[in-house]
């Protein structure tokens, strides 16, 4: 199937997310040409071996020349540097977007470098795994998943429509939020779970009375789920923590308070309190599973194309 949306797309960063986007663009025939750029020559060589694009360069500035869509998929702490490097070569009318897990900080880093006439539309696909690098990506990663845009007030509607159509072609459902709200929502549904996972696996590793081999040997499925998240990329998650500091600290404060309530209920044998909380949380899981079943439905997440684009 071929459904050309852009003549030339430049992908800056070709790890799990960038390479998944590249695979979908190719499979769906969404671009006339795909130019791939990443900092390290080894990663770039691997992207070429995997035939993820049409041209390859370690220079982000070279990659974006004449590109109609530029997707920046690098750790959030590097977004400002990338924006500064590519700014002089961005074509007027081009759409510049990113996939970073935090939004207010990415906007603060990138927006000052974006030349007038270039449409900067920050985005965040809520899809991923604990793996990283170009080999970790796969076709269909974004199918049935949300992609959240945090457009700036002056964002051009036609450009927004074109970017919407791009993500819709990848199978995503689109939502819009202001960046601060995005960062709060993601702090609780994504950033805190990862921090808790890093912490619990770290605690297990530090125990003097339980050996590491016992942790590995007897790890029950609950602990295994945490180890998957705790295997996520250290650079990416260091950057997320540092670049969504306020929202994460706010959620951690709430979390610690609620944990203290639980701790107290256990100490004083208050079974009714434990039962009430565990019943309440069970209904949330059931709602998620219900929505999750829809993810597997063939048309889940497919939206009609935006007629304004
Ligand atoms: N992994 C996930 O589950 C997930 C999900 C949604 C969004 N994100 C966001 O997507 C972005 C990329 O994450 P990923 O999982 O693909 O990471 P990754 O580690 O798999 O890939 C990152 C890529 O960026 C490149 N890179 C790093 N610094 C660079 C620079 N200064 N210039 C050019 N290239 C550079 C690396 O070489 C690599 O190709 C991050 O901002 C992350 O927050 C990740
Ligand atoms: O499923 C996972 O392993 C992920 O970590 C993906 C996940 C998430 O928390 O859901 C991680 C970070 C992103 O910004 C978006 C998605």
């Amino acid at each position: 199937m071929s459904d050309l949306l852009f003549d030339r797309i430049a992908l800056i960063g070709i790890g799990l997310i960038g390479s998944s986007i590249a695979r979908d663009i190719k499979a769906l025939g969404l671009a006339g040409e795909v130019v791939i750029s990443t900092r390290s020559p080894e990663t770039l060589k691997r992207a070429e071996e995997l035939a993820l694009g049409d041209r390859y360069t370690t220079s982000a500035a070279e990659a974006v020349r004449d590109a109609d869509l530029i997707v920046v998929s690098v750790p959030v702490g590097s977004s400002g540097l990338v924006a500064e490097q590519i700014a002089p070569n961005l074509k007027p009318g081009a759409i510049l977007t990113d996939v970073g897990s935090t939004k207010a900080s990415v906007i603060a880093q990138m927006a000052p470098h974006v030349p007038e006439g270039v449409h900067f539309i920050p985005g965040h696909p809520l899809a991923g795994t604990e793996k990283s690098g170009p080999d970790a990506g796969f076709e269909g990663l974004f199918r049935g998943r949300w992609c959240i845009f945090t457009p700036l007030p002056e964002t051009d509607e036609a450009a927004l429509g074109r970017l919407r159509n791009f993500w819709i072609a990848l199978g995503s459902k689109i939502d819009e939020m202001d960046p601060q709200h995005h960062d709060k929502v993601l702090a609780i549904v994504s950033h805190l779970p990862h921090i808790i996972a890093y912490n619990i696996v770290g605690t297990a590793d530090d125990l003097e009375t339980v050996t590491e081999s016992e942790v590995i040997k007897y790890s029950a499925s609950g602990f295994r789920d945490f180890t998957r998240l705790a295997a996520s990329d250290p650079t990416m998650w260091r950057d997320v923590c540092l670049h969504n500091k306020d929202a994460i600290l706010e959620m951690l404060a709430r979390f610690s308070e609620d944990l203290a309530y639980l701790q107290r209920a256990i100490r004083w044998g208050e079974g009714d309190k434990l039962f009430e909380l565990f019943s309440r949380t069970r209904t949330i899981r059931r709602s998620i599973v219900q929505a999750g079943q829809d993810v597997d439905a063939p048309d889940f997440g497919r939206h009609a194309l935006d007629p304004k684009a």
Side-chain angles (χ1 to χ4, degrees), residues 247-287:
I248 289 175
L249 288 178
E250 184 186 329
M251 296 306 162
L252 270 177
R254 287 288 297 266
F255 176 81
S256 306
E257 229 179 75
D258 292 342
L259 190 63
Y261 171 86
L262 208 55
Q263 208 173 350
R264 202 182 146 80
I266 295 170
R267 181 191 313 282
W268 295 105
E270 296 170 333
D272 51 337
K273 285 187 177 164
L274 299 175
F275 188 84
E276 187 277 324
L277 175 69
F278 300 164
S279 306
R280 195 151 49 86
T281 55
R282 187 187 227 188
T283 59
I284 296 196
R285 168 69 186 179
R286 284 180 175 162
S287 316

mmCIF file of all heavy atoms in Angstrom, residues 247-287:
data_model
loop_
_atom_site.group_PDB
_atom_site.id
_atom_site.type_symbol
_atom_site.label_atom_id
_atom_site.label_comp_id
_atom_site.label_asym_id
_atom_site.label_seq_id
_atom_site.Cartn_x
_atom_site.Cartn_y
_atom_site.Cartn_z
ATOM 1 N N ALA A 247 6.626 18.049 38.224
ATOM 2 C CA ALA A 247 5.449 17.166 38.225
ATOM 3 C C ALA A 247 5.787 15.836 38.904
ATOM 4 O O ALA A 247 4.985 15.289 39.671
ATOM 5 C CB ALA A 247 4.968 16.932 36.797
ATOM 6 N N ILE A 248 6.998 15.315 38.660
ATOM 7 C CA ILE A 248 7.386 14.032 39.279
ATOM 8 C C ILE A 248 7.493 14.180 40.797
ATOM 9 O O ILE A 248 6.995 13.340 41.550
ATOM 10 C CB ILE A 248 8.708 13.506 38.663
ATOM 11 C CG1 ILE A 248 8.456 13.027 37.236
ATOM 12 C CG2 ILE A 248 9.285 12.370 39.511
ATOM 13 C CD1 ILE A 248 9.704 12.587 36.479
ATOM 14 N N LEU A 249 8.097 15.276 41.247
ATOM 15 C CA LEU A 249 8.231 15.470 42.697
ATOM 16 C C LEU A 249 6.857 15.623 43.348
ATOM 17 O O LEU A 249 6.620 15.116 44.448
ATOM 18 C CB LEU A 249 9.121 16.687 43.006
ATOM 19 C CG LEU A 249 10.615 16.476 42.719
ATOM 20 C CD1 LEU A 249 11.411 17.746 43.013
ATOM 21 C CD2 LEU A 249 11.179 15.301 43.534
ATOM 22 N N GLU A 250 5.935 16.309 42.645
ATOM 23 C CA GLU A 250 4.571 16.464 43.177
ATOM 24 C C GLU A 250 3.894 15.088 43.321
ATOM 25 O O GLU A 250 3.307 14.772 44.355
ATOM 26 C CB GLU A 250 3.770 17.362 42.227
ATOM 27 C CG GLU A 250 2.371 17.683 42.719
ATOM 28 C CD GLU A 250 1.558 18.465 41.684
ATOM 29 O OE1 GLU A 250 2.130 19.236 40.897
ATOM 30 O OE2 GLU A 250 0.325 18.276 41.681
ATOM 31 N N MET A 251 4.024 14.267 42.272
ATOM 32 C CA MET A 251 3.386 12.942 42.324
ATOM 33 C C MET A 251 4.077 12.035 43.351
ATOM 34 O O MET A 251 3.425 11.235 44.021
ATOM 35 C CB MET A 251 3.410 12.267 40.941
ATOM 36 C CG MET A 251 2.608 12.978 39.884
ATOM 37 S SD MET A 251 0.891 13.258 40.376
ATOM 38 C CE MET A 251 0.422 14.540 39.220
ATOM 39 N N LEU A 252 5.400 12.166 43.486
ATOM 40 C CA LEU A 252 6.119 11.344 44.472
ATOM 41 C C LEU A 252 5.695 11.702 45.895
ATOM 42 O O LEU A 252 5.598 10.834 46.772
ATOM 43 C CB LEU A 252 7.628 11.534 44.317
ATOM 44 C CG LEU A 252 8.338 10.579 43.357
ATOM 45 C CD1 LEU A 252 9.815 10.940 43.244
ATOM 46 C CD2 LEU A 252 8.191 9.119 43.797
ATOM 47 N N ALA A 253 5.413 13.000 46.123
ATOM 48 C CA ALA A 253 4.975 13.438 47.458
ATOM 49 C C ALA A 253 3.619 12.803 47.777
ATOM 50 O O ALA A 253 3.407 12.268 48.877
ATOM 51 C CB ALA A 253 4.894 14.963 47.510
ATOM 52 N N ARG A 254 2.695 12.841 46.794
ATOM 53 C CA ARG A 254 1.381 12.213 46.982
ATOM 54 C C ARG A 254 1.525 10.711 47.220
ATOM 55 O O ARG A 254 0.880 10.124 48.081
ATOM 56 C CB ARG A 254 0.496 12.441 45.739
ATOM 57 C CG ARG A 254 -0.017 13.847 45.587
ATOM 58 C CD ARG A 254 -1.098 14.126 46.624
ATOM 59 N NE ARG A 254 -2.267 13.285 46.452
ATOM 60 C CZ ARG A 254 -3.350 13.617 45.766
ATOM 61 N NH1 ARG A 254 -3.411 14.800 45.190
ATOM 62 N NH2 ARG A 254 -4.374 12.797 45.667
ATOM 63 N N PHE A 255 2.411 10.103 46.414
ATOM 64 C CA PHE A 255 2.636 8.661 46.499
ATOM 65 C C PHE A 255 3.153 8.281 47.895
ATOM 66 O O PHE A 255 2.666 7.321 48.513
ATOM 67 C CB PHE A 255 3.639 8.252 45.418
ATOM 68 C CG PHE A 255 4.021 6.809 45.463
ATOM 69 C CD1 PHE A 255 3.205 5.843 44.896
ATOM 70 C CD2 PHE A 255 5.200 6.398 46.075
ATOM 71 C CE1 PHE A 255 3.548 4.508 44.939
ATOM 72 C CE2 PHE A 255 5.555 5.068 46.127
ATOM 73 C CZ PHE A 255 4.730 4.114 45.552
ATOM 74 N N SER A 256 4.106 9.049 48.409
ATOM 75 C CA SER A 256 4.700 8.728 49.722
ATOM 76 C C SER A 256 3.655 8.851 50.819
ATOM 77 O O SER A 256 3.611 8.037 51.756
ATOM 78 C CB SER A 256 5.851 9.687 50.049
ATOM 79 O OG SER A 256 6.767 9.681 49.017
ATOM 80 N N GLU A 257 2.784 9.873 50.705
ATOM 81 C CA GLU A 257 1.714 10.069 51.688
ATOM 82 C C GLU A 257 0.785 8.855 51.696
ATOM 83 O O GLU A 257 0.434 8.327 52.754
ATOM 84 C CB GLU A 257 0.906 11.294 51.246
ATOM 85 C CG GLU A 257 0.656 12.318 52.319
ATOM 86 C CD GLU A 257 -0.121 13.482 51.733
ATOM 87 O OE1 GLU A 257 -1.327 13.332 51.497
ATOM 88 O OE2 GLU A 257 0.497 14.532 51.483
ATOM 89 N N ASP A 258 0.398 8.424 50.483
ATOM 90 C CA ASP A 258 -0.526 7.295 50.376
ATOM 91 C C ASP A 258 0.129 5.994 50.832
ATOM 92 O O ASP A 258 -0.524 5.119 51.399
ATOM 93 C CB ASP A 258 -1.045 7.169 48.929
ATOM 94 C CG ASP A 258 -1.935 8.350 48.561
ATOM 95 O OD1 ASP A 258 -2.418 9.043 49.488
ATOM 96 O OD2 ASP A 258 -2.148 8.598 47.361
ATOM 97 N N LEU A 259 1.432 5.900 50.606
ATOM 98 C CA LEU A 259 2.163 4.705 51.049
ATOM 99 C C LEU A 259 2.213 4.655 52.582
ATOM 100 O O LEU A 259 2.069 3.587 53.186
ATOM 101 C CB LEU A 259 3.579 4.722 50.460
ATOM 102 C CG LEU A 259 4.397 3.452 50.618
ATOM 103 C CD1 LEU A 259 3.752 2.274 49.885
ATOM 104 C CD2 LEU A 259 5.819 3.657 50.075
ATOM 105 N N ALA A 260 2.357 5.825 53.190
ATOM 106 C CA ALA A 260 2.396 5.895 54.662
ATOM 107 C C ALA A 260 1.043 5.451 55.238
ATOM 108 O O ALA A 260 0.990 4.773 56.276
ATOM 109 C CB ALA A 260 2.728 7.320 55.105
ATOM 110 N N TYR A 261 -0.052 5.805 54.535
ATOM 111 C CA TYR A 261 -1.400 5.383 54.971
ATOM 112 C C TYR A 261 -1.497 3.859 54.948
ATOM 113 O O TYR A 261 -1.990 3.231 55.895
ATOM 114 C CB TYR A 261 -2.418 6.031 54.014
ATOM 115 C CG TYR A 261 -3.844 5.548 54.152
ATOM 116 C CD1 TYR A 261 -4.720 6.118 55.074
ATOM 117 C CD2 TYR A 261 -4.328 4.528 53.330
ATOM 118 C CE1 TYR A 261 -6.036 5.676 55.186
ATOM 119 C CE2 TYR A 261 -5.637 4.085 53.429
ATOM 120 C CZ TYR A 261 -6.489 4.659 54.363
ATOM 121 O OH TYR A 261 -7.774 4.217 54.460
ATOM 122 N N LEU A 262 -0.973 3.281 53.877
ATOM 123 C CA LEU A 262 -0.993 1.826 53.700
ATOM 124 C C LEU A 262 -0.140 1.135 54.784
ATOM 125 O O LEU A 262 -0.533 0.128 55.368
ATOM 126 C CB LEU A 262 -0.432 1.528 52.306
ATOM 127 C CG LEU A 262 -0.860 0.291 51.570
ATOM 128 C CD1 LEU A 262 -2.369 0.214 51.440
ATOM 129 C CD2 LEU A 262 -0.252 0.323 50.144
ATOM 130 N N GLN A 263 1.009 1.739 55.029
ATOM 131 C CA GLN A 263 1.964 1.210 56.022
ATOM 132 C C GLN A 263 1.300 1.175 57.402
ATOM 133 O O GLN A 263 1.380 0.188 58.132
ATOM 134 C CB GLN A 263 3.142 2.190 56.045
ATOM 135 C CG GLN A 263 4.467 1.618 56.428
ATOM 136 C CD GLN A 263 5.560 2.684 56.235
ATOM 137 O OE1 GLN A 263 5.340 3.750 55.653
ATOM 138 N NE2 GLN A 263 6.724 2.399 56.732
ATOM 139 N N ARG A 264 0.598 2.269 57.722
ATOM 140 C CA ARG A 264 -0.090 2.400 59.006
ATOM 141 C C ARG A 264 -1.218 1.363 59.125
ATOM 142 O O ARG A 264 -1.374 0.720 60.168
ATOM 143 C CB ARG A 264 -0.664 3.817 59.090
ATOM 144 C CG ARG A 264 -0.944 4.300 60.473
ATOM 145 C CD ARG A 264 -1.547 5.697 60.440
ATOM 146 N NE ARG A 264 -2.495 5.818 61.540
ATOM 147 C CZ ARG A 264 -2.141 6.051 62.788
ATOM 148 N NH1 ARG A 264 -0.869 6.238 63.079
ATOM 149 N NH2 ARG A 264 -3.041 6.112 63.755
ATOM 150 N N ALA A 265 -1.960 1.203 58.013
ATOM 151 C CA ALA A 265 -3.065 0.230 58.031
ATOM 152 C C ALA A 265 -2.531 -1.185 58.265
ATOM 153 O O ALA A 265 -3.132 -1.976 58.996
ATOM 154 C CB ALA A 265 -3.840 0.314 56.718
ATOM 155 N N ILE A 266 -1.378 -1.503 57.694
ATOM 156 C CA ILE A 266 -0.779 -2.834 57.890
ATOM 157 C C ILE A 266 -0.316 -2.985 59.341
ATOM 158 O O ILE A 266 -0.604 -3.975 60.009
ATOM 159 C CB ILE A 266 0.389 -3.061 56.890
ATOM 160 C CG1 ILE A 266 -0.137 -3.086 55.440
ATOM 161 C CG2 ILE A 266 1.128 -4.364 57.202
ATOM 162 C CD1 ILE A 266 0.943 -3.064 54.365
ATOM 163 N N ARG A 267 0.374 -1.939 59.837
ATOM 164 C CA ARG A 267 0.890 -1.990 61.220
ATOM 165 C C ARG A 267 -0.238 -2.217 62.236
ATOM 166 O O ARG A 267 -0.112 -3.018 63.148
ATOM 167 C CB ARG A 267 1.623 -0.686 61.564
ATOM 168 C CG ARG A 267 2.206 -0.700 62.978
ATOM 169 C CD ARG A 267 2.708 0.653 63.441
ATOM 170 N NE ARG A 267 3.529 1.345 62.463
ATOM 171 C CZ ARG A 267 4.795 1.067 62.212
ATOM 172 N NH1 ARG A 267 5.372 0.076 62.830
ATOM 173 N NH2 ARG A 267 5.448 1.763 61.325
ATOM 174 N N TRP A 268 -1.382 -1.521 62.041
ATOM 175 C CA TRP A 268 -2.472 -1.576 63.020
ATOM 176 C C TRP A 268 -3.519 -2.628 62.672
ATOM 177 O O TRP A 268 -4.591 -2.686 63.279
ATOM 178 C CB TRP A 268 -3.122 -0.184 63.177
ATOM 179 C CG TRP A 268 -2.145 0.797 63.765
ATOM 180 C CD1 TRP A 268 -1.482 1.783 63.111
ATOM 181 C CD2 TRP A 268 -1.690 0.829 65.127
ATOM 182 N NE1 TRP A 268 -0.626 2.445 63.955
ATOM 183 C CE2 TRP A 268 -0.728 1.880 65.216
ATOM 184 C CE3 TRP A 268 -1.967 0.068 66.281
ATOM 185 C CZ2 TRP A 268 -0.071 2.184 66.402
ATOM 186 C CZ3 TRP A 268 -1.306 0.407 67.466
ATOM 187 C CH2 TRP A 268 -0.367 1.444 67.517
ATOM 188 N N GLY A 269 -3.223 -3.433 61.674
ATOM 189 C CA GLY A 269 -4.138 -4.525 61.330
ATOM 190 C C GLY A 269 -5.498 -4.035 60.832
ATOM 191 O O GLY A 269 -6.520 -4.681 61.072
ATOM 192 N N GLU A 270 -5.513 -2.881 60.146
ATOM 193 C CA GLU A 270 -6.788 -2.313 59.684
ATOM 194 C C GLU A 270 -7.183 -2.913 58.331
ATOM 195 O O GLU A 270 -7.027 -2.275 57.277
ATOM 196 C CB GLU A 270 -6.674 -0.785 59.612
ATOM 197 C CG GLU A 270 -6.449 -0.175 60.986
ATOM 198 C CD GLU A 270 -6.085 1.299 60.972
ATOM 199 O OE1 GLU A 270 -5.518 1.775 59.973
ATOM 200 O OE2 GLU A 270 -6.344 1.975 61.977
ATOM 201 N N GLY A 271 -7.649 -4.148 58.382
ATOM 202 C CA GLY A 271 -7.977 -4.904 57.166
ATOM 203 C C GLY A 271 -9.027 -4.229 56.304
ATOM 204 O O GLY A 271 -8.976 -4.319 55.070
ATOM 205 N N ASP A 272 -10.007 -3.539 56.949
ATOM 206 C CA ASP A 272 -11.060 -2.890 56.162
ATOM 207 C C ASP A 272 -10.485 -1.821 55.244
ATOM 208 O O ASP A 272 -10.894 -1.668 54.093
ATOM 209 C CB ASP A 272 -12.143 -2.306 57.088
ATOM 210 C CG ASP A 272 -11.551 -1.436 58.189
ATOM 211 O OD1 ASP A 272 -10.357 -1.621 58.511
ATOM 212 O OD2 ASP A 272 -12.270 -0.557 58.711
ATOM 213 N N LYS A 273 -9.480 -1.079 55.751
ATOM 214 C CA LYS A 273 -8.851 -0.025 54.924
ATOM 215 C C LYS A 273 -8.112 -0.650 53.739
ATOM 216 O O LYS A 273 -8.174 -0.155 52.623
ATOM 217 C CB LYS A 273 -7.875 0.803 55.772
ATOM 218 C CG LYS A 273 -8.575 1.762 56.712
ATOM 219 C CD LYS A 273 -7.592 2.668 57.398
ATOM 220 C CE LYS A 273 -8.356 3.658 58.288
ATOM 221 N NZ LYS A 273 -7.467 4.299 59.260
ATOM 222 N N LEU A 274 -7.404 -1.749 54.028
ATOM 223 C CA LEU A 274 -6.665 -2.419 52.946
ATOM 224 C C LEU A 274 -7.646 -2.960 51.906
ATOM 225 O O LEU A 274 -7.465 -2.767 50.701
ATOM 226 C CB LEU A 274 -5.832 -3.584 53.514
ATOM 227 C CG LEU A 274 -4.770 -3.207 54.540
ATOM 228 C CD1 LEU A 274 -4.103 -4.462 55.114
ATOM 229 C CD2 LEU A 274 -3.707 -2.302 53.918
ATOM 230 N N PHE A 275 -8.714 -3.589 52.399
ATOM 231 C CA PHE A 275 -9.697 -4.195 51.494
ATOM 232 C C PHE A 275 -10.353 -3.131 50.615
ATOM 233 O O PHE A 275 -10.522 -3.324 49.399
ATOM 234 C CB PHE A 275 -10.758 -4.952 52.309
ATOM 235 C CG PHE A 275 -11.677 -5.764 51.446
ATOM 236 C CD1 PHE A 275 -11.315 -7.046 51.027
ATOM 237 C CD2 PHE A 275 -12.898 -5.241 51.022
ATOM 238 C CE1 PHE A 275 -12.151 -7.791 50.204
ATOM 239 C CE2 PHE A 275 -13.735 -5.985 50.194
ATOM 240 C CZ PHE A 275 -13.368 -7.261 49.794
ATOM 241 N N GLU A 276 -10.686 -1.985 51.227
ATOM 242 C CA GLU A 276 -11.352 -0.900 50.475
ATOM 243 C C GLU A 276 -10.437 -0.397 49.351
ATOM 244 O O GLU A 276 -10.854 -0.255 48.199
ATOM 245 C CB GLU A 276 -11.718 0.234 51.453
ATOM 246 C CG GLU A 276 -12.568 1.363 50.856
ATOM 247 C CD GLU A 276 -11.764 2.424 50.108
ATOM 248 O OE1 GLU A 276 -10.628 2.761 50.532
ATOM 249 O OE2 GLU A 276 -12.283 2.906 49.076
ATOM 250 N N LEU A 277 -9.161 -0.170 49.677
ATOM 251 C CA LEU A 277 -8.227 0.332 48.650
ATOM 252 C C LEU A 277 -8.027 -0.703 47.546
ATOM 253 O O LEU A 277 -8.099 -0.380 46.351
ATOM 254 C CB LEU A 277 -6.870 0.691 49.279
ATOM 255 C CG LEU A 277 -5.806 1.112 48.261
ATOM 256 C CD1 LEU A 277 -6.157 2.466 47.630
ATOM 257 C CD2 LEU A 277 -4.415 1.196 48.885
ATOM 258 N N PHE A 278 -7.794 -1.955 47.938
ATOM 259 C CA PHE A 278 -7.520 -2.987 46.931
ATOM 260 C C PHE A 278 -8.735 -3.221 46.027
ATOM 261 O O PHE A 278 -8.595 -3.575 44.861
ATOM 262 C CB PHE A 278 -7.081 -4.304 47.597
ATOM 263 C CG PHE A 278 -5.824 -4.194 48.451
ATOM 264 C CD1 PHE A 278 -5.482 -5.191 49.364
ATOM 265 C CD2 PHE A 278 -4.976 -3.092 48.347
ATOM 266 C CE1 PHE A 278 -4.328 -5.098 50.147
ATOM 267 C CE2 PHE A 278 -3.824 -2.986 49.135
ATOM 268 C CZ PHE A 278 -3.505 -3.984 50.027
ATOM 269 N N SER A 279 -9.937 -2.992 46.546
ATOM 270 C CA SER A 279 -11.147 -3.159 45.721
ATOM 271 C C SER A 279 -11.257 -2.010 44.725
ATOM 272 O O SER A 279 -11.609 -2.202 43.562
ATOM 273 C CB SER A 279 -12.407 -3.164 46.582
ATOM 274 O OG SER A 279 -12.278 -4.122 47.583
ATOM 275 N N ARG A 280 -10.948 -0.802 45.219
ATOM 276 C CA ARG A 280 -11.017 0.389 44.358
ATOM 277 C C ARG A 280 -10.026 0.263 43.194
ATOM 278 O O ARG A 280 -10.355 0.527 42.040
ATOM 279 C CB ARG A 280 -10.692 1.616 45.223
ATOM 280 C CG ARG A 280 -11.040 2.942 44.635
ATOM 281 C CD ARG A 280 -11.371 3.982 45.729
ATOM 282 N NE ARG A 280 -10.431 4.106 46.828
ATOM 283 C CZ ARG A 280 -9.356 4.888 46.798
ATOM 284 N NH1 ARG A 280 -9.061 5.581 45.732
ATOM 285 N NH2 ARG A 280 -8.552 4.968 47.854
ATOM 286 N N THR A 281 -8.813 -0.162 43.473
ATOM 287 C CA THR A 281 -7.782 -0.233 42.426
ATOM 288 C C THR A 281 -8.080 -1.360 41.424
ATOM 289 O O THR A 281 -7.743 -1.249 40.251
ATOM 290 C CB THR A 281 -6.382 -0.454 43.038
ATOM 291 O OG1 THR A 281 -6.433 -1.626 43.853
ATOM 292 C CG2 THR A 281 -5.950 0.727 43.884
ATOM 293 N N ARG A 282 -8.756 -2.385 41.921
ATOM 294 C CA ARG A 282 -9.088 -3.502 41.032
ATOM 295 C C ARG A 282 -10.003 -3.036 39.893
ATOM 296 O O ARG A 282 -9.864 -3.479 38.755
ATOM 297 C CB ARG A 282 -9.795 -4.561 41.870
ATOM 298 C CG ARG A 282 -10.059 -5.817 41.152
ATOM 299 C CD ARG A 282 -10.909 -6.689 42.023
ATOM 300 N NE ARG A 282 -10.397 -8.036 42.068
ATOM 301 C CZ ARG A 282 -11.039 -9.041 42.637
ATOM 302 N NH1 ARG A 282 -12.174 -8.832 43.266
ATOM 303 N NH2 ARG A 282 -10.531 -10.235 42.603
ATOM 304 N N THR A 283 -10.922 -2.122 40.187
ATOM 305 C CA THR A 283 -11.850 -1.658 39.141
ATOM 306 C C THR A 283 -11.085 -0.856 38.073
ATOM 307 O O THR A 283 -11.445 -0.875 36.899
ATOM 308 C CB THR A 283 -12.988 -0.777 39.710
ATOM 309 O OG1 THR A 283 -12.398 0.350 40.349
ATOM 310 C CG2 THR A 283 -13.852 -1.512 40.687
ATOM 311 N N ILE A 284 -10.023 -0.178 38.491
ATOM 312 C CA ILE A 284 -9.223 0.584 37.508
ATOM 313 C C ILE A 284 -8.552 -0.382 36.535
ATOM 314 O O ILE A 284 -8.577 -0.204 35.329
ATOM 315 C CB ILE A 284 -8.182 1.477 38.219
ATOM 316 C CG1 ILE A 284 -8.943 2.508 39.061
ATOM 317 C CG2 ILE A 284 -7.220 2.121 37.221
ATOM 318 C CD1 ILE A 284 -8.188 3.674 39.526
ATOM 319 N N ARG A 285 -7.973 -1.436 37.079
ATOM 320 C CA ARG A 285 -7.327 -2.454 36.232
ATOM 321 C C ARG A 285 -8.356 -3.041 35.250
ATOM 322 O O ARG A 285 -8.081 -3.213 34.069
ATOM 323 C CB ARG A 285 -6.734 -3.556 37.122
ATOM 324 C CG ARG A 285 -6.300 -4.804 36.395
ATOM 325 C CD ARG A 285 -5.098 -4.594 35.514
ATOM 326 N NE ARG A 285 -4.806 -5.778 34.721
ATOM 327 C CZ ARG A 285 -3.818 -5.868 33.854
ATOM 328 N NH1 ARG A 285 -3.037 -4.833 33.640
ATOM 329 N NH2 ARG A 285 -3.616 -6.960 33.177
ATOM 330 N N ARG A 286 -9.551 -3.301 35.750
ATOM 331 C CA ARG A 286 -10.571 -3.893 34.868
ATOM 332 C C ARG A 286 -10.922 -2.944 33.727
ATOM 333 O O ARG A 286 -11.108 -3.378 32.592
ATOM 334 C CB ARG A 286 -11.814 -4.260 35.666
ATOM 335 C CG ARG A 286 -11.548 -5.532 36.463
ATOM 336 C CD ARG A 286 -12.716 -5.963 37.283
ATOM 337 N NE ARG A 286 -12.424 -7.246 37.933
ATOM 338 C CZ ARG A 286 -13.069 -7.733 38.954
ATOM 339 N NH1 ARG A 286 -14.067 -7.059 39.491
ATOM 340 N NH2 ARG A 286 -12.736 -8.904 39.459
ATOM 341 N N SER A 287 -10.996 -1.634 34.006
ATOM 342 C CA SER A 287 -11.303 -0.661 32.945
ATOM 343 C C SER A 287 -10.182 -0.636 31.909
ATOM 344 O O SER A 287 -10.425 -0.540 30.710
ATOM 345 C CB SER A 287 -11.444 0.758 33.499
ATOM 346 O OG SER A 287 -12.195 0.759 34.659
#
